[in-house]
Amino acid sequence: MRPNGFARDRDFDGTVLQDYDFGSSPTLHVPGDWNTQSDKLYYYEGILWYRRHFQYTLESGNRLFIRFEASNYETVVFLNGKLLGVHEGGYTPFEYEITDNVISGDNSLVVRVDNKRREDGVPTLNTDWWNYGGITRSVYLVQTPSTFIRDYGIHVNPDNDRLVEGYVQLDGGETDQTVNISIPELKINAKVQTDSNGYGSFSINSKPVLWDVDNPKLYDVILTSKDDKVKDQIGFRTIKTDGTKILLNGKEFFLAGINAHEETAFNSSRANNAAQDAILLQWAKDMGCNFVRLAHYPHNEDMVRTAEKMGLLIWSEIPLYWGIDWKNEKTYQLAEQQLEEMISRDHNRCNIIIWSIANETAINPDRTAFLTRLAEKARSIDNTRLIAAAMQNREIEPLHMTLTDPLCDVLDILSFNEYIGWYDGPKDKCDKVKWTFPVDKPVVISEFGGGAKYGNFGSSEHYFTEDYLDELYEHQFQMLDRIPALAGTIPWVLKDFRSPHRLIPGIQDEFNRKGLYSDQGQKKKAFYTVRAWNLRKTGKAE
Ligand code: GCB
């Protein structure tokens, strides 16, 4: 950094030579992407500096943290002139302790955000979504006692839903404590003794009503340590596979899914709050879905929590997308860091049933070693969920489709993106192909579909018409009905979304038009075909 650079945090008063003035510079709303807040920033990829003054008085003996829910892509944080740290990755939370840096009175926070894409990044240079830059999610201060409850996990045992188990983790000097765990509705009131690392675990016999999509039951949970108290709402469920079946709470379950980007309805900016999220999730429910794949990166926490209350299951994914730098250990570490941040934030959300480690990555030994290592890491942190990736199908001989990916042996489900009738032949190719699979695991189509501009009717032989898209889905569903191992379908995608790759004037206008809703929320004809399929597959057909 230049000695009189932005990190010095100056206003220009005429007496010291410098080339910026924080005091009179334009402002941006936080949380929010910068692209949709200013025409000048719409295509911008690079560095922006933020500054924010705040008044604070820290209660003596307490600790203070600053938490960023997400900022895309690299974030450098300074408080009162001191560097707090650098975070890489645009979709997961991070925090710094500022107990010793905060001043009683006026504080100045300076943040440098750079959304330039990087070859060794996660994601890397090429993505089919808008690279929204900036502090896209909330930033806040968290004051805690000197020893506080940093983390806890509460769930039912994956093999026995009559056993509520978990752990608590304290942070601070007084590690040896008795922590009380209370779930009043279940009459659970247990004491957990923490060890010299502040860790304690528990296992309690109980009979919780299990969370499911028709009855998304959540229980109030209260954890109380000597000086701290945390409240949450937690649901209980089991998820497993048995051969080609997915079992939710021990019963065979069909995932009637939809893919969604974290992009707002109507004005297509980064979504970052419960009200915006709820519109998207309700659109999914209106289409008969019980499951949402949050593509292609962890969405804001409210997205997951709102879905949990609405009875929607979730697939949550890290942005390992397309051509990652597989040989690079730094890139591996970055992927693992984002995986850990994703799981650490959401491991108590029972509606998340799948952690996905990648999307559409071309098969080669370096990539398979990288992803196998990552899958093992995910399992070692969390044994209460399925591990998946969106793979790709192969045509091994004309009209014979299968999976040849060695990851089929590593992952819990056979999930893959297939675009027969769009990138792969005409729509009636669906009628002719046969499918076989290398192992007996549940088959989940993690993407399929095509593009249509809302209101563009014409010939069903013409791409981007609503007629073509609707017939494409009809052919797809007839084909998918012939796959006995089919355990879920996730059409691509809920709504039209911004993408720099989609350039046909008058049709795409920088939007990927594969939405079943337009970006303005209008239902395309294919919406009704997808809805009918979902209702049939979930036994809810009218
Ligand atoms: C895919 C990608 C997704 C794209 C989609 C498309 O396979 O996973 O990110 O947006 O295809 O529309 O081409």
Side-chain angles (χ1 to χ4, degrees):
M1 312 281 160
R2 298 237 313 263
N4 68 345
F6 298 95
R8 293 283 295 276
D9 187 10
R10 294 268 167 80
D11 292 338
F12 180 64
D13 68 359
T15 65
V16 178
L17 180 59
Q18 64 182 47
D19 293 310
Y20 69 96
D21 181 28
F22 269 128
S24 60
S25 290
T27 57
L28 280 171
H29 186 75
V30 173
D33 67 75
W34 63 50
N35 313 71
T36 59
Q37 294 193 54
S38 150
D39 289 344
K40 275 207 274 186
L41 296 174
Y42 187 62
Y43 293 103
Y44 183 66
E45 290 194 326
I47 295 166
L48 273 194
W49 288 81
Y50 294 73
R51 186 185 72 180
R52 170 75 190 245
H53 281 279
F54 63 93
Q55 303 291 318
Y56 206 80
T57 310
L58 179 61
E59 265 179 54
S60 136
N62 279 1
R63 296 165 68 184
L64 192 66
F65 296 82
I66 184 162
R67 181 166 167 96
F68 288 73
E69 291 197 336
S71 168
N72 189 36
Y73 169 81
E74 183 193 77
T75 310
V76 188
V77 185
F78 301 86
L79 181 65
N80 300 326
K82 182 174 178 285
L83 172 69
L84 298 179
V86 181
H87 180 267
E88 190 170 342
Y91 305 95
T92 42
F94 54 97
E95 66 200 23
Y96 301 106
E97 178 158 12
I98 55 171
T99 309
D100 297 332
N101 309 103
V102 71
I103 295 168
S104 215
D106 187 46
N107 289 270
S108 182
L109 179 72
V110 171
V111 180
R112 173 194 193 266
V113 184
D114 183 358
N115 76 332
K116 271 195 299 297
R117 290 165 286 151
R118 302 166 178 204
E119 198 163 358
D120 63 356
V122 177
T124 175
L125 299 176
N126 195 14
T127 62
D128 187 23
W129 72 83
W130 209 260
N131 181 25
Y132 292 111
I135 306 179
T136 49
R137 296 186 194 152
S138 296
V139 181
Y140 47 84
L141 299 171
V142 184
Q143 190 175 166
T144 72
S146 65
T147 298
F148 66 97
I149 300 170
R150 164 165 290 285
D151 188 21
Y152 54 91
I154 303 180
H155 52 80
V156 284
N157 180 294
D159 299 312
N160 178 2
D161 61 25
R162 313 278 85 170
L163 214 52
V164 173
E165 54 186 30
Y167 66 88
V168 56
Q169 176 67 58
L170 302 178
D171 182 322
E174 280 184 83
T175 50
D176 197 351
Q177 294 194 24
T178 306
V179 178
N180 195 74
I181 317 256
S182 149
I183 310 180
E185 219 183 315
L186 291 175
K187 301 199 167 38
I188 289 180
N189 201 10
K191 303 225 174 307
V192 178
Q193 179 60 43
T194 53
D195 62 17
S196 57
N197 296 315
Y199 178 86
S201 61
F202 61 90
S203 179
I204 304 161
N205 289 314
S206 184
K207 285 195 186 137
V209 171
L210 300 180
W211 183 102
D212 78 34
V213 295
D214 295 321
N215 180 23
K217 172 72 188 159
L218 299 176
Y219 289 92
D220 286 334
V221 174
I222 305 135
L223 294 98
T224 318
S225 67
K226 184 170 148 272
D227 300 316
D228 202 9
K229 186 170 186 171
V230 178
K231 287 188 189 163
D232 202 348
Q233 288 203 306
I234 290 187
F236 301 99
R237 58 95 189 105
T238 61
I239 188 80
K240 271 182 188 286
T241 64
D242 179 13
T244 59
K245 297 189 174 93
I246 292 177
L247 305 180
L248 177 67
N249 300 329
K251 285 190 246 110
E252 183 172 0
F253 191 87
F254 187 83
L255 301 174
I258 186 69
N259 280 284
H261 269 292
E262 190 196 40
E263 200 182 83
T264 55
F266 312 117
N267 69 329
S268 295
S269 56
R270 265 276 166 267
N272 54 36
N273 63 59
Q276 293 168 341
D277 301 336
I279 295 173
L280 301 172
L281 296 169
Q282 189 57 48
W283 287 2
K285 286 214 89 155
D286 292 347
M287 205 158 51
C289 296
N290 57 28
F291 178 62
V292 184
R293 174 176 176 223
L294 301 180
H296 284 296
Y297 38 78
H299 290 203
N300 65 82
E301 188 174 348
D302 280 330
M303 188 74 88
V304 181
R305 284 187 179 268
T306 308
E308 192 176 51
K309 292 197 186 97
M310 290 170 75
L312 285 165
L313 292 160
I314 293 290
W315 158 315
S316 184
E317 179 163 298
I318 52 169
L320 266 194
Y321 184 91
W322 293 351
I324 293 289
D325 191 358
W326 303 115
K327 286 191 168 74
N328 190 334
E329 176 64 17
K330 177 186 166 266
T331 305
Y332 176 81
Q333 292 303 334
L334 181 58
E336 196 176 283
Q337 171 212 312
Q338 294 189 37
L339 178 82
E340 285 177 327
E341 288 167 342
M342 170 175 79
I343 297 178
S344 154
R345 190 192 75 183
D346 283 344
H347 63 92
N348 283 312
R349 303 282 71 80
C350 68
N351 62 329
I352 299 184
I353 51 168
I354 293 173
W355 298 127
S356 165
I357 56 169
N359 177 73
E360 276 190 6
T361 54
I363 303 171
N364 68 60
D366 293 318
R367 160 276 192 189
T368 302
F370 185 118
L371 292 181
T372 302
R373 187 175 165 199
L374 204 57
E376 280 162 11
K377 180 72 192 177
R379 277 213 182 84
S380 75
I381 336 181
D382 184 0
N383 66 349
T384 66
R385 291 178 173 84
L386 308 179
I387 308 299
M391 301 183 279
Q392 285 170 293
N393 58 299
R394 279 282 166 83
E395 189 163 357
I396 46 170
E397 52 192 39
L399 303 177
H400 181 180
M401 295 293 183
T402 191
L403 301 179
T404 56
D405 195 326
L407 285 182
C408 289
D409 293 325
V410 175
L411 303 172
D412 292 316
I413 58 173
L414 303 181
S415 39
F416 58 94
N417 303 348
E418 59 89 357
Y419 278 96
I420 303 174
W422 191 254
Y423 299 121
D424 181 5
K427 54 188 180 306
D428 62 6
K429 183 173 178 184
C430 295
D431 311 339
K432 300 172 193 151
V433 295
K434 89 167 178 200
W435 287 90
T436 56
F437 295 96
V439 285
D440 265 356
K441 291 187 181 178
V443 169
V444 175
I445 316 295
S446 39
E447 289 180 26
F448 61 113
K453 170 91 190 263
Y454 172 76
N456 181 23
F457 288 97
S459 155
S460 63
E461 296 313 307
H462 284 150
Y463 287 108
F464 294 106
T465 61
E466 289 217 36
D467 316 69
Y468 185 98
L469 183 61
D470 188 41
E471 282 194 18
L472 166 58
Y473 273 108
E474 304 244 359
H475 286 270
Q476 278 279 347
F477 290 135
Q478 281 164 21
M479 174 186 78
L480 297 174
D481 255 339
R482 300 197 306 269
I483 300 180
L486 191 74
T489 45
I490 321 177
W492 185 261
V493 58
L494 182 68
K495 83 158 190 82
D496 293 353
F497 62 95
R498 292 188 202 272
S499 165
H501 296 301
R502 310 297 173 173
L503 298 172
I504 306 171
I507 294 181
Q508 293 176 309
D509 302 313
E510 296 179 340
F511 275 85
N512 183 315
R513 294 288 179 201
K514 296 190 187 74
L516 289 152
Y517 290 83
S518 74
D519 53 293
Q520 295 305 309
Q522 296 131 317
K523 298 179 177 93
K524 298 182 191 172
K525 192 175 170 199
F527 165 94
Y528 298 96
T529 302
V530 172
R531 181 168 191 272
W533 163 265
N534 287 339
L535 296 182
R536 172 157 76 79
K537 295 303 284 183
T538 55
K540 298 203 165 123
E542 285 132 5

